[in-house]
Amino acid sequence: MVGGLSMSIEVISVPDRRRIRVRLLPVVVFLLLTALAFAGDALVRSYNFYSQIIDGRLATGYLTSRPGLYAAPRVLQVGQKFSVEKLIATLRRAGYIESNASGVWSGSFTAGAAVVEIRPNNTNVKRLVRVTFAGDEIAELTGDGVGIDSFTLEPEILSNDISSKAGKREVLAYNEIPPVLVQAILSIEDPRFFEHSGVDVNGLARAFIRNVSDERMGQGGSTITQQLVKNTYLTPEKTLRRKYAEAMLSLALEQRLSKQDIFALYCNEIYLGQRGAVSVRGVKEAARVFYGKELSQLSLAEAATLAGMIQSPARYSPAHHVEAAQARRNVVLGAMQENGWISKEQVAAASTQPITLAADRSLDNSLAPYFVDYVNRVARSDFETSGDVQRIYTTFALELQKLAEQALKRQMDRLDKIYASRDVKPQAALVALDPHTGNVLAMVGGRSYAESQLNRVTDAYRQPGSTFKPFVYATALEDGMSPVQTFMDAPREFVYDRNKTYRPANYGGGYSMREVTLRTALVKSLNVVTVDVALQTGLARIANLATRFGLPKPERYPALALGTEEVTPLQLATAYSVFVNGGLRIYPKVIASVSEPPGTHNLPPTEQVISPTTSYMITNMLAAVIDRGTARKARGVVPGTAIAGKTGTSRDGWFIGYSPNLVCAVWIGFDDNAQLGLTGAEAALPAWAEFMKEAVAVRPDLGGTNFECPEGIKFVEIDSANGLISTVWCPMRELIAVTERTSPHLECYFHGNLPVRISPFAEE
């Protein structure tokens, strides 16, 4: 009796309990088998899921689907200036390797004396592309045995981290990694790499024991495959879920790639710290940045030092923590001895060697640092609310960037001799863009990024001088003036705002003291006539039209006609694009697409600024600037290509010029705004001419034999001295572009003895 209640307890005998267990045993077994089946099915489903991620990466290009910054794809064309050696270097940078290649690489290639055969891994293109050379020029392109006009390579990666500069990287195949470096990396990171299947159970057990006995968690256990997966697929968070994903991806990756490919990928992708502002990625770049050597030249001690950095590049950096780097190097040497790869004597000799680094030239060897900075700025501005940016495909053309850097360097070397007595050297900037798309193809923001990170292409506002004049004349043509309308070229004083006066002077103080045509005034860059044209056209109209070209709005003073309002080289190059683009304004662009490779179907935004006929008449005048004007030094420098352009001289030297498919602006000057003392033709034009010549040679599509002529343009031969229709007696005849409305209607009566006749081309 408990609390007033009676309770009876039935006691189950031992035999009964045995009978119950026997009856339950099949149920337990069934449940266990069911659980195992479900677990196995879940494991298979999970493996398939992660396998699809691997397959997707391989299908879209393992190297070109990584997060980071990419250059515009290189296009091979018949007639292109190119050599076998340069093509091989380009292929390596774009992820192609020599001999056979698995799907992890962009493709493979084989090279002969005058032939390179490319086997792309992209199934959407040709299976075999054959490039035949004649000297330093591509003579023939075939795809699967059929002639083709061009072939596009995979894009080259500029940086895996858009916030850091990257060096000039080339992809390594496994057989290009020296054995001493392979042994050093395996010894310290994954001795059983060639034995396990992606996840090393023995290594995990050892790591677990260390973690249990050590208060600091997270030690060891990851194989090289897991590290590669973690660096290329996953976030750095330390969770069981991420660790599980890492293991499954590693198992899947090992089933699809050879051990050699996985190890080579690891050596290409591994992050090895910073030197200066340059992010070092891959062992080949690390050898150059830290030791100034090729991989094959590394000593045992140097190879061990690089291998030791992998675990913690900042802590074991030989540039910043020499003692820690030495201690870690010696640990690697000991591991190499333990694995039987080196002797005790070799350890003793290598461990006593001091760490000696090459001079830090990392910034000098970095890829387009000014351009990368600008892309980073644009990316932060445009994508700050759109989440993490995975891949940024830029408009940047590596081959043109190199030519731009070389052209500027050669010109600056020449100018340094002129300014040798000065404490400060002049600076320079160059920008090149596609006038039809706005794609920025090359950008050099200064003579040395290591010395100055100011990007003068985008951030240095300087007076453009006479390079502004085409916008004055474009406004006049839009307002109805004719290219053959005449103005007096003589010293003059202009009155404006009722009682204010302005007395401009021609450069050098020379005057023809006669009437000259509007066209001649632009070709000869006559200041007095330009101010006269501006005042007759209207300063407000010119200022307003300048803003539609994308330039800062100038103050409405007569001097605006001579380029007193400060602009950047990028703004000026973009504005000149209107003249070659049928009067349409484009917007400069450095990012072609995000996440997905750029397509060709998206048309860039445009705005009609001036009429196609006005833009062509200005181009026709600027072509004459090169034929017989202030830029005569550029005549014939780009064979077979139509070019036009304008010099500018303020305190600085400018030249802005273009072909039918490429606009380039060059600025030379002092950062402190000191007087350069050279004309634009002397300072800037030589660099422009060299760049344009080489750019069209390597990219014939950027040239063009003629500027596209719109409807409404006709060509009239005039006497350039007076603007009248020429006769056979005129000594200075010139064929010019005009419209019906602006065409001359009188024949020249200054030469010969013929009476004056009315031209059939009458004014409207």
Side-chain angles (χ1 to χ4, degrees), residues 214-402:
D214 195 328
E215 294 181 357
R216 296 171 300 172
M217 297 296 289
Q219 291 197 16
S222 290
T223 65
I224 280 177
T225 310
Q226 287 175 281
Q227 292 181 52
L228 176 64
V229 162
K230 179 177 65 177
N231 293 336
T232 56
Y233 285 92
L234 302 171
T235 61
E237 61 178 345
K238 294 183 178 180
T239 64
L240 287 175
R241 183 176 181 179
R242 190 203 61 78
K243 199 69 178 176
Y244 174 77
E246 177 186 297
M248 297 302 290
L249 287 168
S250 298
L251 292 170
L253 189 65
E254 290 257 356
Q255 296 303 308
R256 285 154 176 78
L257 298 180
S258 69
K259 286 285 190 179
Q260 288 78 7
D261 275 347
I262 291 173
F263 190 84
L265 270 177
Y266 179 77
C267 287
N268 281 296
E269 296 293 323
I270 195 69
Y271 173 68
L272 288 166
Q274 298 269 138
R275 193 166 191 200
V278 172
S279 174
V280 182
R281 192 172 291 274
V283 295
K284 185 166 187 175
E285 184 184 356
R288 289 175 178 171
V289 169
F290 291 109
Y291 297 113
K293 294 181 177 181
E294 295 299 322
L295 274 181
S296 59
Q297 300 171 322
L298 290 179
S299 67
L300 170 60
E302 290 166 343
T305 303
L306 293 185
M309 292 174 65
I310 294 173
Q311 186 185 80
S312 181
R315 187 192 310 169
Y316 300 126
S317 169
H320 305 293
H321 304 288
V322 177
E323 291 183 2
Q326 283 179 323
R328 178 66 175 171
R329 175 198 66 188
N330 294 345
V331 170
V332 176
L333 292 170
M336 294 178 73
Q337 181 191 352
E338 184 179 334
N339 283 282
W341 277 316
I342 60 175
S343 65
K344 186 176 181 179
E345 291 73 23
Q346 286 176 295
V347 173
S351 61
T352 59
Q353 291 182 13
I355 289 181
T356 304
L357 300 181
D360 184 5
R361 297 185 56 83
S362 52
L363 279 177
D364 291 338
N365 294 321
S366 59
L367 282 171
Y370 294 105
F371 182 86
V372 171
D373 277 351
Y374 187 62
V375 172
N376 194 20
R377 186 197 311 179
V378 172
R380 281 202 215 100
S381 172
D382 292 356
F383 307 112
E384 58 184 355
T385 60
S386 61
D388 293 333
V389 175
Q390 290 297 306
R391 297 183 301 279
I392 295 180
Y393 293 94
T394 72
T395 61
F396 174 67
L398 269 172
E399 68 274 24
L400 299 185
Q401 178 69 22
K402 292 175 184 176

Side-chain angles (χ1 to χ4, degrees), residues 434-487:
D434 183 327
H436 307 296
T437 64
N439 288 348
V440 177
L441 305 177
M443 178 185 290
V444 186
R447 63 187 297 155
S448 170
Y449 187 86
E451 295 175 4
S452 170
Q453 288 78 56
L454 173 65
N455 189 342
R456 293 155 188 84
V457 167
T458 58
D459 300 327
Y461 285 81
R462 307 301 288 261
Q463 290 186 348
S466 294
T467 57
F468 183 80
K469 289 177 181 175
F471 308 109
V472 174
Y473 289 90
T475 311
L477 294 179
E478 286 283 287
D479 203 39
M481 284 192 188
S482 168
V484 296
Q485 187 169 333
T486 57
F487 301 82

Side-chain angles (χ1 to χ4, degrees), residues 39-56:
D41 181 66
L43 197 64
V44 170
R45 288 175 180 270
S46 179
Y47 177 80
N48 290 336
F49 170 76
Y50 288 108
S51 294
Q52 290 173 1
I53 295 176
I54 297 289
D55 291 337

Side-chain angles (χ1 to χ4, degrees), residues 108-140:
S108 63
F109 68 91
T110 55
V115 174
V116 175
E117 291 186 339
I118 306 169
R119 293 171 178 79
N121 279 334
N122 188 337
T123 56
N124 297 323
V125 299
K126 306 294 184 182
R127 287 173 295 181
L128 175 62
V129 176
R130 185 180 175 90
V131 188
T132 305
F133 293 83
D136 286 344
E137 184 176 297
I138 296 178
E140 184 182 19

